[in-house]
C-alpha cells in the first residue's frame, strides 16, 4: 500500500514534468504548477543558505564564494532511494547524464549559470533544475534563491537589489509555498532580511519556518535561546538551529555525514541548547519540512485532483478537435481523405441551400445585377433616329424599300440582341466568383481539414478546376440562348405591326389613301407624317424594335438564371469533387501520405497536448493509488 511519501515523490515528478513541458505546456500546466506545494529557501547573502541545503542533502555540491554566488533559482528535487544504492544527480538540461561526482555537480551549476548570465555578477530568473537521488535524503522539493542584498557591488546594475527581491517574491508570494527563512545567529534577528520579507508575504507565519545558522560562531557568553524558544520573534512553527561546517572542514572536504554527527554532538553537549537537541540540526529540519510538506499536499489533494480531472476533460476535447494520429495503410488514409471531403462537401452545400450564408449572393446576381445590367444596355443610343436611319438606309442599298424595311428591322434587332451577350457572360462570371468564394470559405470552415494544409490546397485546386469547367459550360449555354433569339425573330410579333400602325392613325401601308379608280395619279397623296423617310417614320421603327427588344429582355431575364443554375450551381452540388475522387482513388500509400501531411505547428500542438494529457493521467492514476490512511 502506498504511503504519503509516494505523494511527495509524485509532486516531484509532476513538477519535473511541468518543467519539461515549459512554455509549450499551456495555462493548464502553469495552473498545476501553481497548485503544487514547494519550499523556498530565503536569506541574505552569506547567511548560510548553501550550507543548510548541503546539510539537508548530505553532499557538498553548491558553488561557494564571497558576494552573490547563487545567481539563478535552483529547483532541487530530492528523491529517497533504497539503502545501498549509489547516490547520483541529474540536471534537467542534461537528462541523459548521471553525475556521481558532486564536485562536477557544483561545476555544472556554475557553468550553466554562466551560460545564461555570462561570467558576470548578473542574475537571471530562469531556474536550474537538479534532482538528487540518495538514501540519505527525504523526499522533498527545495528552491534555492539568490541571497537578498542591500547594495549593488561593482559589476552589478543599480537595480540588482530590487531585481533579487522581485525574483524571491515571485516564489514566496504563492500561497502554496513554504518559506524557509535563514538567519545567522551572530546577527540581530531584527535585522534579518529573510524574516522581514517573510513577515510581509506571510504575516500570520503559517507558511514560515525559521532557521538560525552559525550558532557556533556566536560571541562567548551569548546564545540564541530567545530566538530558538520563540521569545524574540514568534512563529507558528518552532525555530530550528543549524551548525554549519567550518571553513576548515570545508577545506578538508569533511564528509557531510560526519558533519551531521558533529552537529548533533554540538547540541547534545551544549549547556544552552541540550534541552532543545531533539529538534535541532539539519536532519531534524529535513524531516520537519517533509512532514509539513506532506500536510500541505494532503490539504491540497482535493483541489489538485479536481484541477487534474477538469484539465483531462479539456485536453481530451482538444485532442478530438486536433484529430488523432493518422494510420499508415493506404485504405485507412483513403477513407480519411474521403471523410474529410464529405465534411467539406456538406458545408459547401449548406452554403448553397441555406443554413450558412453565401448562397443568397447567387440569388442577388439574378435579382439585382442581371436586371440592372439589362436596364443599362445602350438601346437609346442604338435606336436613336440617326442610327435607325443609317441602318435602314444601308439595308435598302440603292433601291428604296417598297412597303416595310424588313431587312433594316432584322439588322437593327440582331445588332441590338448582341448587347445581351455582356450581361449574360457577366452573370456566368459573377456566379462563378461566388462559387469559388464559397469553396474557399467552406474549406476554412471544415475543422477536420485544418490539420492538412496540403490536402486543403489540392482540394481547392480540384474544386476551382471543376468550377472553371462548369463556367465554360454555363457560358456556352447562356450565350446560345442569346444567339437563339438572334437566329429566329418571333413572326407573330411582326404580324401585328400593321394593325398597330393603323391604331396610331398613320394608316395601313397596304391600304392607306388608295388611288381613285382609273386614275392612279390622282389618288390621295400620303400625309407628310406618312413619309417613309421622315423622322416620325424612323421613330416608329425604333419604337417597334424597342418593343421587341423589351420582350426578348424579359425572356432572357428569366432564362439566363435557369441556364446558369443548371450548368454551374446544380453541377457544383452534384459533381464538384467527382474528378478529385477519381484522382485520389488512383494514389498509393506514399502519395496519400503526402496529401495528409499535417501542418507542423498543429503537429507540435498535438504533441504538446498529448504530453500534457499523459502527465495529467499519470498524476491522477498515482494520486488514486495513494492510501490516505497512515
Amino acid at each position: 500500500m502506498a504511503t504519503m511519501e509516494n505523494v511527495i515523490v509524485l509532486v516531484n515528478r509532476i513538477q519535473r514534468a511541468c518543467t519539461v513541458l515549459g512554455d509549450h505546456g499551456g495555462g493548464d500546466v502553469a495552473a498545476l504548477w501553481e497548485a503544487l506545494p514547494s519550499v523556498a529557501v530565503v536569506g541574505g547573502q552569506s547567511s548560510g543558505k548553501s550550507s543548510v541545503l548541503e546539510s539537508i542533502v548530505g553532499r557538498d555540491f553548491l558553488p561557494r564564494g564571497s558576494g552573490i554566488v547563487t545567481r539563478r533559482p535552483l529547483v532541487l528535487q530530492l528523491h529517497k532511494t533504497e539503502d545501498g544504492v549509489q547516490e547520483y544527480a541529474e540536471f534537467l538540461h542534461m537528462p541523459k547524464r548521471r553525475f556521481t561526482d558532486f564536485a562536477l555537480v557544483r561545476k555544472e551549476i556554475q557553468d550553466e549559470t554562466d551560460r545564461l548570465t555570462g561570467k558576470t555578477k548578473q542574475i537571471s530568473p530562469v531556474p536550474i533544475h537538479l534532482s538528487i537521488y540518495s538514501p540519505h535524503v527525504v523526499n522533498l522539493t527545495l528552491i534555492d534563491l539568490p541571497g537578498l542584498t542591500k547594495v549593488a557591488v561593482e559589476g552589478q546594475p543599480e537595480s540588482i537589489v530590487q531585481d533579487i527581491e522581485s525574483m524571491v517574491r515571485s516564489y514566496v508570494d504563492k500561497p502554496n509555498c513554504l518559506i524557509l527563512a535563514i538567519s545567522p545567529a551572530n546577527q540581530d534577528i531584527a535585522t534579518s532580511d529573510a524574516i522581514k520579507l517573510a513577515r510581509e508575504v506571510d504575516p500570520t507565519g503559517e507558511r514560515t519556518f525559521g532557521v538560525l545558522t552559525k550558532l557556533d560562531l556566536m560571541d562567548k557568553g551569548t546564545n540564541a535561546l530567545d530566538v530558538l524558544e520563540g521569545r524574540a520573534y514568534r512563529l507558528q512553527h518552532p525555530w530550528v538551529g543549524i551548525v554549519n561546517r567550518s571553513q576548515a572542514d570545508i577545506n578538508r572536504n569533511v564528509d557531510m555525514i560526519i558533519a551531521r554527527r558533529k552537529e548533533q554532538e554540538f547540541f547534545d553537549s551544549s549547556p544552552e541548547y541540550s534541552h532543545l537537541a531533539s529538534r535541532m540540526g539539519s536532519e531534524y529540519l529535513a524531516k520537519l519540512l517533509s512532514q509539513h510538506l506532506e500536510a500541505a499536499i494532503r490539504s491540497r489533494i482535493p483541489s489538485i485532483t479536481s484541477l487534474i480531472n477538469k484539465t483531462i476533460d479539456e485536453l481530451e476535447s482538444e485532442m478530438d478537435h486536433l484529430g488523432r494520429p493518422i494510420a499508415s495503410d493506404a485504405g485507412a488514409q483513403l477513407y480519411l481523405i474521403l471523410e474529410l471531403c464529405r465534411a467539406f462537401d456538406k458545408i459547401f452545400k449548406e452554403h448553397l441551400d441555406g443554413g450558412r450564408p453565401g448562397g443568397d449572393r447567387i440569388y442577388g446576381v439574378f435579382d439585382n445585377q442581371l436586371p440592372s445590367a439589362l436596364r443599362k444596355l445602350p438601346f437609346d443610343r442604338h435606336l436613336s433616329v440617326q442610327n435607325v436611319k443609317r441602318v435602314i438606309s444601308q439595308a435598302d442599298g440603292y433601291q428604296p424599300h417598297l412597303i416595310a424595311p424588313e431587312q433594316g428591322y432584322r439588322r437593327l434587332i440582331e445588332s441590338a440582341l448582341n448587347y445581351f451577350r455582356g450581361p449574360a457572360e457577366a452573370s456566368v462570371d459573377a456566379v462563378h466568383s461566388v462559387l469559388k468564394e464559397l469553396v474557399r470559405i467552406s474549406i476554412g470552415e471544415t475543422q477536420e481539414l485544418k490539420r492538412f494544409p496540403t490536402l486543403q490546397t489540392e482540394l481547392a485546386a480540384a474544386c476551382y478546376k471543376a468550377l472553371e469547367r462548369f463556367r465554360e459550360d454555363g457560358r456556352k449555354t447562356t450565350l446560345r440562348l442569346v444567339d437563339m433569339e438572334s437566329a429566329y425573330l418571333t413572326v407573330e410579333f411582326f404580324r401585328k405591326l400593321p394593325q398597330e400602325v393603323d391604331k396610331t392613325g398613320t394608316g395601313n401601308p397596304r391600304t392607306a389613301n388608295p388611288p381613285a379608280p382609273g386614275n392612279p395619279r390622282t389618288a390621295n397623296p400620303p400625309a407628310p407624317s406618312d413619309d417613309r423617310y421622315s423622322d416620325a417614320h424612323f421613330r416608329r421603327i425604333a419604337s417597334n424594335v424597342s418593343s421587341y427588344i423589351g420582350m426578348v429582355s424579359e425572356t432572357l431575364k428569366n432564362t439566363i438564371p435557369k441556364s446558369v443554375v443548371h450548368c454551374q450551381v446544380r453541377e457544383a452540388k452534384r459533381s464538384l469533387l467527382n474528378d478529385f475522387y477519381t484522382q485520389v482513388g488512383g494514389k498509393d500509400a506514399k502519395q496519400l501520405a503526402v496529401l495528409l501531411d499535417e501542418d507542423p505547428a498543429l503537429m507540435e500542438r498535438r504533441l504538446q497536448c498529448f504530453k500534457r494529457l499523459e502527465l495529467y493521467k499519470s498524476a491522477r492514476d498515482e494520486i488514486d493509488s495513494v492510501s490516505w490512511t497512515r
Side-chain angles (χ1 to χ4, degrees):
M1 186 68 68
T3 65
M4 195 64 197
E5 277 192 341
N6 295 113
V7 182
I8 300 180
V9 173
L10 169 63
V11 169
N12 288 348
R13 289 176 183 171
I14 296 176
Q15 288 175 332
R16 188 175 180 84
C18 289
T19 306
V20 171
L21 292 178
D23 295 336
H24 301 289
D28 52 279
V29 172
L32 180 56
W33 177 271
E34 293 286 338
L36 299 174
S38 60
V39 181
V41 185
V42 181
Q45 290 182 17
S46 302
S47 62
K49 289 192 303 88
S50 296
S51 295
V52 171
L53 282 173
E54 289 180 335
S55 296
I56 291 174
V57 174
R59 280 289 186 173
D60 189 355
F61 69 98
L62 291 173
R64 292 182 177 276
S66 60
I68 180 170
V69 177
T70 303
R71 294 185 284 120
R72 289 175 60 180
L74 175 67
V75 179
L76 179 62
Q77 293 183 331
L78 305 181
H79 304 265
K80 184 175 180 59
T81 60
E82 298 291 334
D83 290 339
V85 175
Q86 185 181 22
E87 297 173 287
Y88 67 92
E90 285 183 346
F91 286 95
L92 186 62
H93 62 273
M94 302 175 70
K96 295 182 180 180
R97 180 176 175 183
R98 286 188 175 185
F99 291 80
T100 55
D101 185 346
F102 282 81
L104 295 179
V105 173
R106 181 191 308 113
K107 183 177 185 302
E108 181 56 32
I109 293 174
Q110 185 63 57
D111 291 345
E112 178 62 15
T113 300
D114 291 343
R115 288 186 193 108
L116 199 62
T117 63
K119 293 184 180 297
T120 65
K121 295 182 180 180
Q122 302 291 334
I123 64 169
S124 169
V126 180
I128 298 172
H129 292 264
L130 173 65
S131 292
I132 294 179
Y133 300 80
S134 169
H136 306 300
V137 300
V138 294
N139 292 305
L140 194 60
T141 296
L142 298 163
I143 304 172
D144 186 22
L145 298 166
L148 299 166
T149 185
K150 292 183 173 61
V151 294
V153 299
E154 186 177 353
Q156 293 177 337
E158 290 297 324
S159 62
I160 190 72
V161 176
Q162 185 58 45
D163 292 343
I164 292 176
E165 183 174 338
S166 298
M167 183 193 303
V168 173
R169 282 181 180 273
S170 69
Y171 286 89
V172 300
D173 274 341
K174 299 172 184 176
N176 296 318
C177 179
L178 304 180
I179 305 168
L180 192 60
I182 311 293
S183 303
N186 55 359
Q187 293 181 11
D188 189 345
I189 195 65
T191 64
S192 170
D193 295 317
I195 292 298
K196 175 178 178 294
L197 181 61
R199 183 165 47 192
E200 292 176 5
V201 299
D202 179 34
T204 62
E206 294 178 357
R207 300 188 285 122
T208 302
F209 293 82
V211 177
L212 209 58
T213 62
K214 303 184 181 182
L215 290 168
D216 55 330
L217 300 182
M218 295 185 70
D219 293 337
K220 288 184 178 182
T222 62
N223 59 58
L225 286 177
D226 283 349
V227 176
L228 294 175
E229 293 178 348
R231 293 190 294 273
Y233 186 80
R234 179 173 294 277
L235 295 172
Q236 292 197 20
H237 306 292
W239 282 81
V240 178
I242 296 289
V243 174
N244 302 327
R245 288 183 301 163
S246 66
Q247 188 60 48
D249 289 341
I250 295 173
N251 294 339
R252 292 198 307 269
N253 293 321
V254 172
D255 186 85
M256 291 297 298
I257 304 302
I258 297 176
R260 283 182 181 177
R261 191 179 306 121
K262 292 176 63 176
E263 178 188 42
Q264 195 59 47
E265 289 175 357
F266 171 84
F267 289 111
D268 289 339
S269 61
S270 170
E272 295 91 349
Y273 308 121
S274 58
H275 67 291
L276 300 174
S278 61
R279 53 186 180 90
M280 295 289 117
S282 54
E283 284 192 80
Y284 172 79
L285 175 62
K287 292 176 182 177
L288 177 68
L289 291 174
S290 182
Q291 290 171 0
H292 281 277
L293 190 58
E294 288 179 8
I297 295 171
R298 186 187 293 273
S299 67
R300 292 293 297 168
I301 283 295
S303 60
I304 292 175
T305 302
S306 175
L307 172 62
I308 287 174
N309 289 330
K310 175 177 177 291
T311 308
I312 285 176
D313 291 340
E314 293 173 352
L315 291 173
E316 289 281 10
S317 176
E318 185 176 0
M319 284 296 291
D320 290 337
H321 176 72
L322 295 174
R324 302 293 173 171
I326 304 166
S328 57
D329 62 289
Q333 291 174 343
L334 179 60
Y335 178 80
L336 175 59
I337 290 174
L338 295 180
E339 283 294 303
L340 295 172
C341 291
R342 279 190 280 269
F344 154 76
D345 195 46
K346 178 176 179 292
I347 292 175
F348 178 70
K349 288 176 180 177
E350 287 175 357
H351 278 290
L352 290 177
D353 296 333
R356 293 177 185 260
D360 55 310
R361 292 170 53 194
I362 294 176
Y363 175 74
V365 172
F366 303 145
D367 193 51
N368 298 314
Q369 290 179 237
L370 177 60
S372 176
L374 293 176
R375 287 194 299 270
K376 292 178 180 178
L377 291 176
F379 291 130
D380 288 346
R381 186 174 69 251
H382 181 70
L383 296 177
S384 65
V385 172
Q386 292 81 359
N387 193 58
V388 170
K389 184 184 295 186
R390 179 183 64 78
V391 173
I392 296 298
S393 300
Q394 290 176 354
D396 283 345
Y398 71 92
Q399 295 189 11
H401 58 268
L402 298 178
I403 300 175
E406 179 179 335
Q407 196 65 25
Y409 265 106
R410 289 186 178 276
R411 290 189 180 183
L412 281 171
I413 293 172
E414 289 171 0
S415 56
L417 292 180
N418 279 331
Y419 285 116
F420 287 114
R421 296 175 69 90
E425 286 190 280
S427 297
V428 170
D429 291 339
V431 171
H432 176 75
S433 296
V434 173
L435 292 174
K436 281 187 68 175
E437 179 65 11
L438 292 182
V439 165
R440 185 190 66 80
I441 292 173
S442 298
I443 288 176
E445 290 178 348
T446 307
Q447 294 296 326
E448 300 90 335
L449 276 173
K450 292 184 182 298
R451 298 171 57 186
F452 311 109
T454 302
L455 180 58
Q456 289 183 53
T457 302
E458 292 294 325
L459 183 61
C463 290
Y464 294 157
K465 185 176 180 180
L467 291 178
E468 284 290 345
R469 188 173 67 254
F470 301 153
R471 174 166 69 170
E472 190 58 31
D473 290 344
R475 178 183 286 108
K476 288 179 180 178
T477 302
T478 305
L479 291 180
R480 188 174 288 119
L481 290 175
V482 177
D483 293 341
M484 287 164 55
E485 295 291 345
S486 301
Y488 184 79
L489 307 183
T490 306
V491 177
E492 191 65 24
F493 180 88
F494 291 99
R495 285 177 178 170
K496 294 178 181 179
L497 282 181
Q499 287 79 5
E500 290 174 358
V501 171
D502 278 341
K503 292 175 185 177
T504 65
T506 58
N508 189 324
R510 298 185 181 186
T511 59
N513 301 319
N519 189 1
R521 295 185 179 273
T522 60
N524 294 331
S529 61
D530 293 331
D531 186 350
R532 67 186 62 187
Y533 294 106
S534 67
D535 286 352
H537 175 66
F538 291 120
R539 279 195 292 271
R540 188 165 60 251
I541 293 174
S543 176
N544 293 336
V545 171
S546 178
S547 297
Y548 185 78
I549 295 302
M551 181 189 71
V552 172
S553 179
E554 286 299 313
T555 300
L556 292 177
K557 189 167 69 174
N558 293 321
T559 56
I560 286 176
K562 294 177 184 293
S563 171
V564 170
V565 169
H566 177 79
C567 296
Q568 293 176 261
V569 180
R570 189 187 70 154
E571 286 305 306
K573 290 173 60 177
R574 288 176 53 185
S575 58
L576 180 64
L577 296 177
N578 283 4
D579 288 349
F580 185 69
Y581 289 147
T582 303
Q583 175 187 350
V584 169
K587 293 183 180 293
D588 57 25
K590 185 176 181 180
Q591 293 170 321
L592 293 174
V594 171
L595 285 179
L596 295 175
D597 182 24
E598 294 186 86
D599 182 353
L602 188 142
M603 292 175 67
E604 176 64 20
R605 183 179 167 193
R606 186 196 295 113
L607 177 62
Q608 294 301 328
C609 182
F610 178 76
K611 287 181 179 179
R612 301 202 307 272
L613 186 57
E614 289 300 303
L615 161 68
Y616 279 94
K617 285 184 175 179
S618 174
R620 181 180 62 184
D621 293 343
E622 293 198 44
I623 288 177
D624 288 344
S625 71
V626 172
S627 170
W628 303 114
T629 59
R630 289 189 179 272

